[in-house]
Amino acid sequence: MGIQENGKVGEKKYRRMDSDVLEEDDVSDYGHHQQDRTNTTKKFVFACAIFASLNSVLLGYDVGVMSGAILFIQEDLKISEVQQEVLVGILSIVSLLGSLAGGKTSDAIGRKWTMAFAAVVFQAGAGVMALAPSFTVLMIGRLLAGIGIGFGVMIAPVYIAEIAPAVARGSLTSFPEIFINLGILLGYISNYAFSGLPVHINWRIMLAMGILPSVFIGFALFVIPESPRWLVMRNRIDEARSVLLKTNESEREVEERLAEIQLAANHTGSEKYEEKAVWREFLNPSPAVRRMLITGCGIQCFQQITGIDATVYYSPTIFKDAGIKSNSELLAATVAVGFTKTIFILVAIFLIDRVGRKPLLYVSTIGMTTCLFSLGLTLSVLGDDSVGIKLAILSVCGNVAFFSVGIGPVCWVLSSEIFPLRLRAQASALGAVGSRVSSGIIAMSFLSVSRAITVAGTFFVFAAISVLSVAFVFKCVPETKGKSLEHIEMLFQSERQWQGGELELGDVEHLMQKQ
């Protein structure tokens, strides 16, 4: 009996052990399956972010390539200095129009096809510019390219934010900024590579090469899905769920996110009615909103009026003033500028969530001030000897490095963080208007101002403006690293909190009661 019992017990034990082994195997298989799905999801979202960011390469490439192409355009088409300024600077103004129209277009035809439309318009513009027999035709191509770039730059971060899971949204939405810098570098390399060709051919090839990134966008359309948010807005729920299954790690996350998107889509109609009220709030802001506008729009304008676009667009002109004679040497020096700008934007992406926004802004603005003053001093005192040339190159590289490590990317992060949800889209558009208009004014006036007060004098002015940017960061930019959006909103409720960047216990209690 005991033996039988023991046998039974033993049999039970063996059964239990077998069952445990099976359960462990199932868990192990599930873990491997989940890990495989996680890796596949990450790769897919990463690929979507890269393909969407290709539109940003177009803006960077145009900025970089025009800095060298303008030397040969002036020689070939015999255009005046004012025409050079208009040709260079008009892109910023026109791209703004494309960005403003991009919102309605992307709601009408979808995010994915707006990217396709942007690529087609840019290709048309690049083709017209490459074949242009006169300044007038060149400007028509430039206007088309600007509109295409405006659509592309606007839609890339929107698409990435809507396609990416929340855990990866911050790093992935920084991709467009990285790709703009990559485009600038490619533009500089193109200048250097084709500068040895005859003058009536080289600048045309330089501009035509900008078509290549938009061709890759065409291939990308066969890979990337439509935004799930747009699909929900069009009541294509099953398609949205299918996309979310590719971009989220678990079905539970998919259903949660789908429910959130549907809830947001249901409020879209009421938000449209509130839009006019939002703009009225901008015209007659509360103290908190006024502080937000000062911080958000101010940092966007300082990003441009410190002269970064003039430095990038006219770096060959700057190096020529420093004493470099041949076009190939001028363009080789600009390649160094492009490499520096691209490398340091990667540094910023790594540091922004570790060090914080405000420390990076201090390093950036103080470093830019030093480099701009150094460049002005070099151009005015040292002349065109070898030491002066090396210091000029070092100062320009230093300026773009400090820009890329701080105020360049941080201003976009701040603009997306500091405004409450009801104001965020319109406030970001307002900041973009300030940024693009400032960029256009600086680019379109640089040569005229340089002729009036010398290139060195112009950079002394930029250095003085950069000093003001340091003071602006100190007085008007709170630290937002690690804070919830509600916490950040509370920072602007009083001037002391805004400038101090910290909340006291009473403020937190007030926030909790409010919630």
Side-chain angles (χ1 to χ4, degrees), residues 242-285:
S242 176
V243 173
L244 290 171
L245 284 168
K246 296 178 182 178
T247 61
N248 290 268
E249 295 179 10
S250 69
E251 292 187 14
R252 182 177 59 83
E253 287 180 27
V254 169
E255 294 305 323
E256 287 176 357
R257 189 161 181 209
L258 187 60
E260 290 172 2
I261 294 171
Q262 287 178 290
L263 182 63
N266 290 334
H267 286 298
T268 299
S270 60
E271 286 174 4
K272 287 179 180 176
Y273 287 112
E274 291 175 9
E275 190 170 340
K276 289 183 180 177
V278 167
W279 285 107
R280 278 200 296 269
E281 189 170 355
F282 285 153
L283 295 173
N284 187 26

mmCIF file of all heavy atoms in Angstrom, residues 242-285:
data_model
loop_
_atom_site.group_PDB
_atom_site.id
_atom_site.type_symbol
_atom_site.label_atom_id
_atom_site.label_comp_id
_atom_site.label_asym_id
_atom_site.label_seq_id
_atom_site.Cartn_x
_atom_site.Cartn_y
_atom_site.Cartn_z
ATOM 1 N N SER A 242 -3.456 47.384 -37.994
ATOM 2 C CA SER A 242 -2.405 46.624 -38.679
ATOM 3 C C SER A 242 -1.062 47.353 -38.618
ATOM 4 O O SER A 242 -0.015 46.730 -38.391
ATOM 5 C CB SER A 242 -2.815 46.392 -40.133
ATOM 6 O OG SER A 242 -1.795 45.739 -40.843
ATOM 7 N N VAL A 243 -1.090 48.686 -38.799
ATOM 8 C CA VAL A 243 0.149 49.476 -38.708
ATOM 9 C C VAL A 243 0.677 49.461 -37.282
ATOM 10 O O VAL A 243 1.877 49.259 -37.049
ATOM 11 C CB VAL A 243 -0.099 50.930 -39.175
ATOM 12 C CG1 VAL A 243 1.140 51.788 -38.922
ATOM 13 C CG2 VAL A 243 -0.474 50.963 -40.648
ATOM 14 N N LEU A 244 -0.197 49.624 -36.314
ATOM 15 C CA LEU A 244 0.230 49.651 -34.913
ATOM 16 C C LEU A 244 0.813 48.313 -34.475
ATOM 17 O O LEU A 244 1.713 48.275 -33.623
ATOM 18 C CB LEU A 244 -0.953 50.035 -34.018
ATOM 19 C CG LEU A 244 -1.429 51.490 -34.124
ATOM 20 C CD1 LEU A 244 -2.731 51.695 -33.373
ATOM 21 C CD2 LEU A 244 -0.359 52.439 -33.581
ATOM 22 N N LEU A 245 0.329 47.220 -35.035
ATOM 23 C CA LEU A 245 0.896 45.901 -34.718
ATOM 24 C C LEU A 245 2.349 45.798 -35.179
ATOM 25 O O LEU A 245 3.132 45.035 -34.613
ATOM 26 C CB LEU A 245 0.069 44.797 -35.377
ATOM 27 C CG LEU A 245 -1.269 44.471 -34.702
ATOM 28 C CD1 LEU A 245 -2.120 43.575 -35.597
ATOM 29 C CD2 LEU A 245 -1.037 43.799 -33.340
ATOM 30 N N LYS A 246 2.710 46.565 -36.199
ATOM 31 C CA LYS A 246 4.095 46.563 -36.690
ATOM 32 C C LYS A 246 4.996 47.488 -35.892
ATOM 33 O O LYS A 246 6.223 47.347 -35.940
ATOM 34 C CB LYS A 246 4.138 46.978 -38.157
ATOM 35 C CG LYS A 246 3.440 46.035 -39.108
ATOM 36 C CD LYS A 246 3.509 46.576 -40.529
ATOM 37 C CE LYS A 246 2.777 45.682 -41.506
ATOM 38 N NZ LYS A 246 2.806 46.240 -42.886
ATOM 39 N N THR A 247 4.421 48.448 -35.180
ATOM 40 C CA THR A 247 5.234 49.468 -34.518
ATOM 41 C C THR A 247 5.175 49.406 -32.995
ATOM 42 O O THR A 247 5.832 50.198 -32.330
ATOM 43 C CB THR A 247 4.788 50.877 -34.971
ATOM 44 O OG1 THR A 247 3.408 51.077 -34.615
ATOM 45 C CG2 THR A 247 4.948 51.044 -36.462
ATOM 46 N N ASN A 248 4.392 48.490 -32.439
ATOM 47 C CA ASN A 248 4.306 48.330 -30.986
ATOM 48 C C ASN A 248 4.615 46.890 -30.610
ATOM 49 O O ASN A 248 4.359 45.967 -31.393
ATOM 50 C CB ASN A 248 2.915 48.730 -30.477
ATOM 51 C CG ASN A 248 2.684 50.232 -30.570
ATOM 52 O OD1 ASN A 248 2.936 50.975 -29.645
ATOM 53 N ND2 ASN A 248 2.207 50.676 -31.742
ATOM 54 N N GLU A 249 5.109 46.706 -29.404
ATOM 55 C CA GLU A 249 5.659 45.419 -29.007
ATOM 56 C C GLU A 249 4.610 44.404 -28.565
ATOM 57 O O GLU A 249 4.864 43.216 -28.559
ATOM 58 C CB GLU A 249 6.698 45.616 -27.899
ATOM 59 C CG GLU A 249 7.909 46.404 -28.375
ATOM 60 C CD GLU A 249 8.925 46.627 -27.265
ATOM 61 O OE1 GLU A 249 8.766 46.005 -26.201
ATOM 62 O OE2 GLU A 249 9.863 47.418 -27.471
ATOM 63 N N SER A 250 3.444 44.849 -28.122
ATOM 64 C CA SER A 250 2.428 43.904 -27.649
ATOM 65 C C SER A 250 1.050 44.339 -28.128
ATOM 66 O O SER A 250 0.814 45.515 -28.411
ATOM 67 C CB SER A 250 2.436 43.829 -26.110
ATOM 68 O OG SER A 250 1.962 45.042 -25.557
ATOM 69 N N GLU A 251 0.146 43.365 -28.197
ATOM 70 C CA GLU A 251 -1.212 43.661 -28.651
ATOM 71 C C GLU A 251 -1.937 44.552 -27.652
ATOM 72 O O GLU A 251 -2.805 45.343 -28.035
ATOM 73 C CB GLU A 251 -1.976 42.356 -28.873
ATOM 74 C CG GLU A 251 -1.448 41.543 -30.052
ATOM 75 C CD GLU A 251 -2.310 40.349 -30.365
ATOM 76 O OE1 GLU A 251 -3.459 40.300 -29.844
ATOM 77 O OE2 GLU A 251 -1.860 39.464 -31.115
ATOM 78 N N ARG A 252 -1.587 44.416 -26.369
ATOM 79 C CA ARG A 252 -2.207 45.280 -25.356
ATOM 80 C C ARG A 252 -1.857 46.744 -25.615
ATOM 81 O O ARG A 252 -2.718 47.617 -25.563
ATOM 82 C CB ARG A 252 -1.731 44.866 -23.957
ATOM 83 C CG ARG A 252 -2.372 45.680 -22.828
ATOM 84 C CD ARG A 252 -1.901 45.171 -21.478
ATOM 85 N NE ARG A 252 -0.456 45.262 -21.347
ATOM 86 C CZ ARG A 252 0.187 46.378 -20.991
ATOM 87 N NH1 ARG A 252 -0.480 47.497 -20.761
ATOM 88 N NH2 ARG A 252 1.503 46.377 -20.869
ATOM 89 N N GLU A 253 -0.575 47.009 -25.930
ATOM 90 C CA GLU A 253 -0.157 48.367 -26.261
ATOM 91 C C GLU A 253 -0.872 48.877 -27.500
ATOM 92 O O GLU A 253 -1.258 50.041 -27.580
ATOM 93 C CB GLU A 253 1.361 48.416 -26.499
ATOM 94 C CG GLU A 253 2.197 48.283 -25.253
ATOM 95 C CD GLU A 253 3.686 48.337 -25.577
ATOM 96 O OE1 GLU A 253 4.046 48.957 -26.589
ATOM 97 O OE2 GLU A 253 4.471 47.740 -24.827
ATOM 98 N N VAL A 254 -1.046 47.980 -28.471
ATOM 99 C CA VAL A 254 -1.733 48.356 -29.717
ATOM 100 C C VAL A 254 -3.154 48.825 -29.421
ATOM 101 O O VAL A 254 -3.584 49.884 -29.897
ATOM 102 C CB VAL A 254 -1.753 47.164 -30.706
ATOM 103 C CG1 VAL A 254 -2.692 47.455 -31.869
ATOM 104 C CG2 VAL A 254 -0.349 46.879 -31.214
ATOM 105 N N GLU A 255 -3.880 48.039 -28.628
ATOM 106 C CA GLU A 255 -5.274 48.391 -28.341
ATOM 107 C C GLU A 255 -5.358 49.679 -27.515
ATOM 108 O O GLU A 255 -6.258 50.497 -27.725
ATOM 109 C CB GLU A 255 -5.976 47.232 -27.613
ATOM 110 C CG GLU A 255 -6.123 45.973 -28.458
ATOM 111 C CD GLU A 255 -6.835 46.223 -29.776
ATOM 112 O OE1 GLU A 255 -7.776 47.046 -29.809
ATOM 113 O OE2 GLU A 255 -6.447 45.603 -30.788
ATOM 114 N N GLU A 256 -4.429 49.840 -26.564
ATOM 115 C CA GLU A 256 -4.422 51.062 -25.753
ATOM 116 C C GLU A 256 -4.165 52.290 -26.617
ATOM 117 O O GLU A 256 -4.836 53.318 -26.498
ATOM 118 C CB GLU A 256 -3.354 50.963 -24.652
ATOM 119 C CG GLU A 256 -3.720 50.018 -23.521
ATOM 120 C CD GLU A 256 -2.587 49.884 -22.521
ATOM 121 O OE1 GLU A 256 -1.508 50.482 -22.734
ATOM 122 O OE2 GLU A 256 -2.779 49.166 -21.515
ATOM 123 N N ARG A 257 -3.179 52.167 -27.506
ATOM 124 C CA ARG A 257 -2.839 53.312 -28.344
ATOM 125 C C ARG A 257 -3.944 53.596 -29.354
ATOM 126 O O ARG A 257 -4.248 54.752 -29.646
ATOM 127 C CB ARG A 257 -1.517 53.074 -29.066
ATOM 128 C CG ARG A 257 -1.032 54.326 -29.761
ATOM 129 C CD ARG A 257 0.430 54.296 -30.087
ATOM 130 N NE ARG A 257 0.801 55.546 -30.724
ATOM 131 C CZ ARG A 257 1.774 55.687 -31.596
ATOM 132 N NH1 ARG A 257 2.507 54.646 -31.915
ATOM 133 N NH2 ARG A 257 2.045 56.854 -32.128
ATOM 134 N N LEU A 258 -4.547 52.548 -29.886
ATOM 135 C CA LEU A 258 -5.644 52.731 -30.830
ATOM 136 C C LEU A 258 -6.812 53.450 -30.154
ATOM 137 O O LEU A 258 -7.435 54.345 -30.750
ATOM 138 C CB LEU A 258 -6.103 51.373 -31.368
ATOM 139 C CG LEU A 258 -7.138 51.395 -32.485
ATOM 140 C CD1 LEU A 258 -6.607 52.140 -33.710
ATOM 141 C CD2 LEU A 258 -7.545 49.973 -32.864
ATOM 142 N N ALA A 259 -7.085 53.081 -28.898
ATOM 143 C CA ALA A 259 -8.162 53.747 -28.155
ATOM 144 C C ALA A 259 -7.832 55.228 -27.934
ATOM 145 O O ALA A 259 -8.709 56.096 -28.064
ATOM 146 C CB ALA A 259 -8.374 53.045 -26.808
ATOM 147 N N GLU A 260 -6.565 55.520 -27.610
ATOM 148 C CA GLU A 260 -6.147 56.914 -27.418
ATOM 149 C C GLU A 260 -6.309 57.719 -28.707
ATOM 150 O O GLU A 260 -6.778 58.856 -28.691
ATOM 151 C CB GLU A 260 -4.681 56.975 -26.966
ATOM 152 C CG GLU A 260 -4.449 56.479 -25.555
ATOM 153 C CD GLU A 260 -2.957 56.385 -25.230
ATOM 154 O OE1 GLU A 260 -2.142 56.752 -26.104
ATOM 155 O OE2 GLU A 260 -2.628 55.937 -24.127
ATOM 156 N N ILE A 261 -5.906 57.129 -29.829
ATOM 157 C CA ILE A 261 -6.000 57.818 -31.119
ATOM 158 C C ILE A 261 -7.459 58.074 -31.478
ATOM 159 O O ILE A 261 -7.818 59.158 -31.944
ATOM 160 C CB ILE A 261 -5.299 57.003 -32.224
ATOM 161 C CG1 ILE A 261 -3.789 56.936 -31.968
ATOM 162 C CG2 ILE A 261 -5.556 57.628 -33.596
ATOM 163 C CD1 ILE A 261 -3.059 55.979 -32.895
ATOM 164 N N GLN A 262 -8.322 57.077 -31.243
ATOM 165 C CA GLN A 262 -9.740 57.252 -31.547
ATOM 166 C C GLN A 262 -10.358 58.349 -30.685
ATOM 167 O O GLN A 262 -11.160 59.145 -31.168
ATOM 168 C CB GLN A 262 -10.481 55.933 -31.336
ATOM 169 C CG GLN A 262 -10.204 54.890 -32.411
ATOM 170 C CD GLN A 262 -10.916 53.583 -32.145
ATOM 171 O OE1 GLN A 262 -10.557 52.855 -31.213
ATOM 172 N NE2 GLN A 262 -11.921 53.272 -32.937
ATOM 173 N N LEU A 263 -9.956 58.402 -29.422
ATOM 174 C CA LEU A 263 -10.451 59.454 -28.535
ATOM 175 C C LEU A 263 -10.011 60.825 -29.030
ATOM 176 O O LEU A 263 -10.806 61.772 -29.073
ATOM 177 C CB LEU A 263 -9.934 59.211 -27.111
ATOM 178 C CG LEU A 263 -10.410 60.202 -26.035
ATOM 179 C CD1 LEU A 263 -11.919 60.129 -25.878
ATOM 180 C CD2 LEU A 263 -9.713 59.906 -24.703
ATOM 181 N N ALA A 264 -8.720 60.923 -29.428
ATOM 182 C CA ALA A 264 -8.205 62.201 -29.944
ATOM 183 C C ALA A 264 -8.907 62.588 -31.239
ATOM 184 O O ALA A 264 -9.231 63.760 -31.460
ATOM 185 C CB ALA A 264 -6.703 62.086 -30.182
ATOM 186 N N ALA A 265 -9.169 61.595 -32.104
ATOM 187 C CA ALA A 265 -9.843 61.879 -33.377
ATOM 188 C C ALA A 265 -11.260 62.371 -33.145
ATOM 189 O O ALA A 265 -11.756 63.235 -33.881
ATOM 190 C CB ALA A 265 -9.853 60.623 -34.246
ATOM 191 N N ASN A 266 -11.919 61.865 -32.102
ATOM 192 C CA ASN A 266 -13.285 62.295 -31.806
ATOM 193 C C ASN A 266 -13.340 63.746 -31.347
ATOM 194 O O ASN A 266 -14.366 64.408 -31.474
ATOM 195 C CB ASN A 266 -13.909 61.399 -30.724
ATOM 196 C CG ASN A 266 -14.201 60.011 -31.236
ATOM 197 O OD1 ASN A 266 -14.405 59.825 -32.433
ATOM 198 N ND2 ASN A 266 -14.207 59.024 -30.342
ATOM 199 N N HIS A 267 -12.207 64.235 -30.808
ATOM 200 C CA HIS A 267 -12.151 65.622 -30.339
ATOM 201 C C HIS A 267 -11.700 66.580 -31.421
ATOM 202 O O HIS A 267 -11.657 67.785 -31.204
ATOM 203 C CB HIS A 267 -11.205 65.739 -29.145
ATOM 204 C CG HIS A 267 -11.772 65.169 -27.880
ATOM 205 N ND1 HIS A 267 -12.914 65.658 -27.289
ATOM 206 C CD2 HIS A 267 -11.361 64.127 -27.110
ATOM 207 C CE1 HIS A 267 -13.179 64.960 -26.189
ATOM 208 N NE2 HIS A 267 -12.255 64.019 -26.059
ATOM 209 N N THR A 268 -11.331 66.045 -32.604
ATOM 210 C CA THR A 268 -10.788 66.897 -33.659
ATOM 211 C C THR A 268 -11.769 67.980 -34.066
ATOM 212 O O THR A 268 -11.395 69.137 -34.267
ATOM 213 C CB THR A 268 -10.410 66.056 -34.897
ATOM 214 O OG1 THR A 268 -9.414 65.116 -34.512
ATOM 215 C CG2 THR A 268 -9.855 66.932 -36.002
ATOM 216 N N GLY A 269 -13.054 67.611 -34.182
ATOM 217 C CA GLY A 269 -14.046 68.601 -34.594
ATOM 218 C C GLY A 269 -14.140 69.752 -33.630
ATOM 219 O O GLY A 269 -14.155 70.921 -34.018
ATOM 220 N N SER A 270 -14.168 69.450 -32.312
ATOM 221 C CA SER A 270 -14.257 70.521 -31.321
ATOM 222 C C SER A 270 -12.999 71.355 -31.298
ATOM 223 O O SER A 270 -13.044 72.559 -31.054
ATOM 224 C CB SER A 270 -14.520 69.925 -29.933
ATOM 225 O OG SER A 270 -13.471 69.061 -29.559
ATOM 226 N N GLU A 271 -11.836 70.728 -31.571
ATOM 227 C CA GLU A 271 -10.587 71.483 -31.596
ATOM 228 C C GLU A 271 -10.602 72.529 -32.704
ATOM 229 O O GLU A 271 -10.060 73.617 -32.558
ATOM 230 C CB GLU A 271 -9.403 70.529 -31.799
ATOM 231 C CG GLU A 271 -9.066 69.721 -30.562
ATOM 232 C CD GLU A 271 -7.992 68.688 -30.842
ATOM 233 O OE1 GLU A 271 -7.473 68.660 -31.976
ATOM 234 O OE2 GLU A 271 -7.681 67.909 -29.938
ATOM 235 N N LYS A 272 -11.244 72.201 -33.840
ATOM 236 C CA LYS A 272 -11.301 73.157 -34.938
ATOM 237 C C LYS A 272 -12.080 74.395 -34.518
ATOM 238 O O LYS A 272 -11.749 75.513 -34.903
ATOM 239 C CB LYS A 272 -11.948 72.502 -36.164
ATOM 240 C CG LYS A 272 -11.034 71.485 -36.836
ATOM 241 C CD LYS A 272 -11.692 70.837 -38.029
ATOM 242 C CE LYS A 272 -10.758 69.829 -38.688
ATOM 243 N NZ LYS A 272 -11.401 69.110 -39.791
ATOM 244 N N TYR A 273 -13.141 74.179 -33.728
ATOM 245 C CA TYR A 273 -13.902 75.325 -33.262
ATOM 246 C C TYR A 273 -13.098 76.175 -32.280
ATOM 247 O O TYR A 273 -13.293 77.363 -32.154
ATOM 248 C CB TYR A 273 -15.198 74.870 -32.586
ATOM 249 C CG TYR A 273 -16.218 74.358 -33.577
ATOM 250 C CD1 TYR A 273 -16.571 73.008 -33.590
ATOM 251 C CD2 TYR A 273 -16.810 75.207 -34.501
ATOM 252 C CE1 TYR A 273 -17.500 72.536 -34.506
ATOM 253 C CE2 TYR A 273 -17.747 74.727 -35.425
ATOM 254 C CZ TYR A 273 -18.088 73.393 -35.420
ATOM 255 O OH TYR A 273 -18.986 72.912 -36.324
ATOM 256 N N GLU A 274 -12.166 75.503 -31.555
ATOM 257 C CA GLU A 274 -11.359 76.215 -30.571
ATOM 258 C C GLU A 274 -10.188 76.955 -31.203
ATOM 259 O O GLU A 274 -9.536 77.758 -30.564
ATOM 260 C CB GLU A 274 -10.813 75.214 -29.533
ATOM 261 C CG GLU A 274 -11.891 74.636 -28.638
ATOM 262 C CD GLU A 274 -11.323 73.559 -27.724
ATOM 263 O OE1 GLU A 274 -10.082 73.412 -27.695
ATOM 264 O OE2 GLU A 274 -12.100 72.878 -27.065
ATOM 265 N N GLU A 275 -9.901 76.697 -32.491
ATOM 266 C CA GLU A 275 -8.702 77.247 -33.118
ATOM 267 C C GLU A 275 -8.697 78.774 -33.086
ATOM 268 O O GLU A 275 -7.688 79.398 -32.786
ATOM 269 C CB GLU A 275 -8.589 76.740 -34.554
ATOM 270 C CG GLU A 275 -7.256 77.060 -35.195
ATOM 271 C CD GLU A 275 -7.060 76.347 -36.518
ATOM 272 O OE1 GLU A 275 -7.759 75.347 -36.763
ATOM 273 O OE2 GLU A 275 -6.212 76.800 -37.300
ATOM 274 N N LYS A 276 -9.859 79.373 -33.390
ATOM 275 C CA LYS A 276 -9.918 80.833 -33.369
ATOM 276 C C LYS A 276 -9.680 81.358 -31.968
ATOM 277 O O LYS A 276 -9.016 82.383 -31.775
ATOM 278 C CB LYS A 276 -11.282 81.312 -33.888
ATOM 279 C CG LYS A 276 -11.458 81.098 -35.393
ATOM 280 C CD LYS A 276 -12.787 81.660 -35.866
ATOM 281 C CE LYS A 276 -12.959 81.453 -37.365
ATOM 282 N NZ LYS A 276 -14.278 81.934 -37.841
ATOM 283 N N ALA A 277 -10.214 80.669 -30.966
ATOM 284 C CA ALA A 277 -10.003 81.085 -29.584
ATOM 285 C C ALA A 277 -8.524 81.011 -29.210
ATOM 286 O O ALA A 277 -8.029 81.846 -28.459
ATOM 287 C CB ALA A 277 -10.830 80.205 -28.642
ATOM 288 N N VAL A 278 -7.822 80.008 -29.756
ATOM 289 C CA VAL A 278 -6.384 79.880 -29.487
ATOM 290 C C VAL A 278 -5.634 81.097 -30.009
ATOM 291 O O VAL A 278 -4.794 81.678 -29.320
ATOM 292 C CB VAL A 278 -5.840 78.586 -30.129
ATOM 293 C CG1 VAL A 278 -4.320 78.586 -30.133
ATOM 294 C CG2 VAL A 278 -6.356 77.376 -29.375
ATOM 295 N N TRP A 279 -5.942 81.513 -31.244
ATOM 296 C CA TRP A 279 -5.250 82.676 -31.802
ATOM 297 C C TRP A 279 -5.622 83.955 -31.065
ATOM 298 O O TRP A 279 -4.802 84.859 -30.927
ATOM 299 C CB TRP A 279 -5.544 82.795 -33.305
ATOM 300 C CG TRP A 279 -4.796 81.781 -34.080
ATOM 301 C CD1 TRP A 279 -5.292 80.658 -34.685
ATOM 302 C CD2 TRP A 279 -3.386 81.746 -34.315
ATOM 303 N NE1 TRP A 279 -4.287 79.938 -35.275
ATOM 304 C CE2 TRP A 279 -3.104 80.578 -35.075
ATOM 305 C CE3 TRP A 279 -2.323 82.593 -33.962
ATOM 306 C CZ2 TRP A 279 -1.819 80.235 -35.486
ATOM 307 C CZ3 TRP A 279 -1.039 82.253 -34.370
ATOM 308 C CH2 TRP A 279 -0.802 81.094 -35.120
ATOM 309 N N ARG A 280 -6.858 84.017 -30.560
ATOM 310 C CA ARG A 280 -7.226 85.178 -29.725
ATOM 311 C C ARG A 280 -6.403 85.175 -28.440
ATOM 312 O O ARG A 280 -6.017 86.233 -27.936
ATOM 313 C CB ARG A 280 -8.722 85.138 -29.410
ATOM 314 C CG ARG A 280 -9.602 85.689 -30.519
ATOM 315 C CD ARG A 280 -10.972 86.082 -30.001
ATOM 316 N NE ARG A 280 -11.716 84.938 -29.503
ATOM 317 C CZ ARG A 280 -12.536 84.197 -30.258
ATOM 318 N NH1 ARG A 280 -12.709 84.489 -31.534
ATOM 319 N NH2 ARG A 280 -13.179 83.176 -29.731
ATOM 320 N N GLU A 281 -6.125 83.980 -27.920
ATOM 321 C CA GLU A 281 -5.307 83.884 -26.704
ATOM 322 C C GLU A 281 -3.879 84.341 -26.969
ATOM 323 O O GLU A 281 -3.232 84.921 -26.099
ATOM 324 C CB GLU A 281 -5.312 82.450 -26.173
ATOM 325 C CG GLU A 281 -4.662 82.307 -24.803
ATOM 326 C CD GLU A 281 -4.873 80.941 -24.184
ATOM 327 O OE1 GLU A 281 -5.606 80.118 -24.774
ATOM 328 O OE2 GLU A 281 -4.301 80.702 -23.104
ATOM 329 N N PHE A 282 -3.370 84.093 -28.179
ATOM 330 C CA PHE A 282 -2.045 84.593 -28.538
ATOM 331 C C PHE A 282 -2.023 86.117 -28.621
ATOM 332 O O PHE A 282 -1.047 86.761 -28.231
ATOM 333 C CB PHE A 282 -1.594 84.016 -29.885
ATOM 334 C CG PHE A 282 -1.166 82.574 -29.822
ATOM 335 C CD1 PHE A 282 -1.263 81.759 -30.939
ATOM 336 C CD2 PHE A 282 -0.666 82.034 -28.651
ATOM 337 C CE1 PHE A 282 -0.866 80.435 -30.886
ATOM 338 C CE2 PHE A 282 -0.273 80.704 -28.583
ATOM 339 C CZ PHE A 282 -0.371 79.912 -29.700
ATOM 340 N N LEU A 283 -3.109 86.692 -29.150
ATOM 341 C CA LEU A 283 -3.161 88.148 -29.309
ATOM 342 C C LEU A 283 -3.352 88.860 -27.969
ATOM 343 O O LEU A 283 -2.891 89.984 -27.780
ATOM 344 C CB LEU A 283 -4.301 88.535 -30.266
ATOM 345 C CG LEU A 283 -4.130 88.064 -31.722
ATOM 346 C CD1 LEU A 283 -5.379 88.358 -32.529
ATOM 347 C CD2 LEU A 283 -2.908 88.750 -32.351
ATOM 348 N N ASN A 284 -4.046 88.194 -27.043
ATOM 349 C CA ASN A 284 -4.249 88.772 -25.708
ATOM 350 C C ASN A 284 -3.903 87.718 -24.660
ATOM 351 O O ASN A 284 -4.765 87.182 -23.972
ATOM 352 C CB ASN A 284 -5.701 89.239 -25.558
ATOM 353 C CG ASN A 284 -5.918 89.992 -24.255
ATOM 354 O OD1 ASN A 284 -4.999 90.585 -23.686
ATOM 355 N ND2 ASN A 284 -7.157 89.948 -23.754
ATOM 356 N N PRO A 285 -2.589 87.383 -24.533
ATOM 357 C CA PRO A 285 -2.194 86.232 -23.704
ATOM 358 C C PRO A 285 -2.254 86.511 -22.212
ATOM 359 O O PRO A 285 -2.087 87.657 -21.764
ATOM 360 C CB PRO A 285 -0.746 85.983 -24.144
ATOM 361 C CG PRO A 285 -0.246 87.330 -24.559
ATOM 362 C CD PRO A 285 -1.429 88.050 -25.150
#
